[in-house]
Amino acid sequence: MKIDNQEIKIESNDIFTYRRIRRAIGYLGLILPILLIGFSFIPFFKTQLQPSISHYYFTNLREIFTGTLSAVGLFLICYKGKSNASFWKNDSLLTNIAGIMAIGVALLPMNPDDFAIKIYTLFPYPEKFLGWLHYGFAAILFLIMALLAINVFTIGQKDETRDPKSILNENNIYRFCGYSILIFVIMVPISESLKLFSYSTLVFEALALFAFGIAWLIKGRALGDEGAIGRKLYQENNPVDTEKVFEE
């Protein structure tokens, strides 16, 4: 079957658009904890290091917290992945839910330590249930982050038979990142109850966001896909694989 050159060009552009969106999501996931924690050590911002990522809502760095999360949410909602009969592998549905959860986390802050302070939010009422919604949205968001890495990102190589596979094969990285997210999220309540170390919640949340960001960057081929990188990570040399892009 003859394929028109214009069709190939359009398809190629679509591929690179998807990869740019993936990279944008990945970079935002990585940069959020770096900016919040880094700026906490700069006197100009008059913000102390906080116990958790969510605590930054009540600081001078609130706009970075809410803006970055809202951007991640919008990118996830706009990202149209491949549908799947299984809910747990439905890329399009899971990213939509994750996007809504990210925006929910940004708009509904956690319960403040002092309800007497003014809460500038979409719902300016000192109701504890609103804070619990924040925690629920965050939990679902992290869960879907892990599901995407473990169940969805690995679909592209599900039928891959070429051997040998490098330990740096993309599927190994996705699974490592996905299970790391689950472990870090589980460690948050454990570390708080056992009081393992100071700022444990902040550390584990930051690590979960790093794992999330790395998975999306690898999926977006931020390191490229030619030469040694293409062979080790993606088992290919061709920088544009039009057959697999929507399964990736």
Side-chain angles (χ1 to χ4, degrees):
M1 183 178 69
K2 184 177 180 180
I3 301 177
D4 185 80
N5 289 334
Q6 184 65 23
E7 292 179 356
I8 295 176
K9 183 177 180 180
I10 293 174
E11 187 173 14
S12 177
N13 289 336
D14 288 342
I15 292 171
F16 287 114
T17 298
Y18 266 77
R19 291 179 181 175
R20 282 193 291 269
I21 293 175
R22 291 165 180 166
R23 289 196 292 269
I25 294 171
Y27 284 127
L28 289 171
L30 282 178
I31 202 172
L32 177 59
I34 292 175
L35 289 180
L36 294 178
I37 296 173
F39 287 165
S40 298
F41 292 98
I42 300 177
F44 173 81
F45 294 100
K46 298 181 179 180
T47 297
Q48 295 181 339
L49 193 63
Q50 299 297 302
S52 72
I53 298 292
S54 295
H55 275 84
Y56 279 95
Y57 182 92
F58 304 105
T59 72
N60 294 326
L61 301 178
R62 177 179 61 215
E63 284 74 16
I64 293 177
F65 170 72
T66 58
T68 304
L69 274 177
S70 297
V72 170
L74 290 174
F75 274 123
L76 287 169
I77 292 172
C78 293
Y79 176 84
K80 298 301 179 185
K82 187 177 178 66
S83 298
N84 193 295
S86 170
F87 169 83
W88 307 106
K89 295 183 178 181
N90 192 316
D91 194 2
S92 182
L93 179 60
L94 288 175
T95 50
N96 283 339
I97 296 174
I100 294 171
M101 295 300 103
I103 294 174
V105 171
L107 295 181
L108 292 173
M110 61 175 286
N111 288 324
D113 296 328
D114 181 6
F115 275 97
I117 67 175
K118 175 68 175 179
I119 303 176
Y120 293 94
T121 180
L122 189 63
F123 304 100
Y125 302 101
E127 300 292 342
K128 288 189 175 181
F129 81 89
L130 292 174
W132 286 108
L133 282 177
H134 171 91
Y135 304 135
F137 289 154
I140 295 173
L141 175 60
F142 277 116
L143 175 61
I144 294 180
M145 286 178 183
L147 281 175
L148 287 169
I150 297 169
N151 280 357
V152 177
F153 287 2
T154 54
I155 292 177
Q157 287 195 17
K158 65 180 180 179
D159 297 323
E160 182 58 69
T161 59
R162 285 176 292 176
D163 289 313
K165 289 185 175 64
S166 166
I167 192 173
L168 295 178
N169 176 266
E170 60 175 323
N171 279 10
N172 292 336
I173 297 175
Y174 300 144
R175 292 190 181 99
F176 176 80
C177 289
Y179 289 119
S180 294
I181 292 171
L182 293 177
I183 292 172
F184 294 142
V185 171
I186 292 172
M187 285 303 298
V188 168
I190 293 176
S191 63
E192 285 187 347
S193 61
L194 297 180
K195 300 186 184 303
L196 293 181
F197 56 90
S198 300
Y199 302 105
S200 59
T201 297
L202 178 65
V203 170
F204 287 125
E205 286 179 344
L207 291 174
L209 286 170
F210 287 152
F212 162 78
I214 290 170
W216 277 89
L217 287 175
I218 295 299
K219 197 65 179 174
R221 307 200 172 194
L223 299 177
D225 58 4
E226 295 182 337
I229 291 176
R231 290 191 296 272
K232 288 184 177 181
L233 267 66
Y234 309 106
Q235 289 191 280
E236 67 179 53
N237 294 310
N238 184 1
V240 179
D241 188 345
T242 58
E243 296 286 333
K244 296 167 56 179
V245 64
F246 294 109
E247 292 183 355
E248 288 180 343

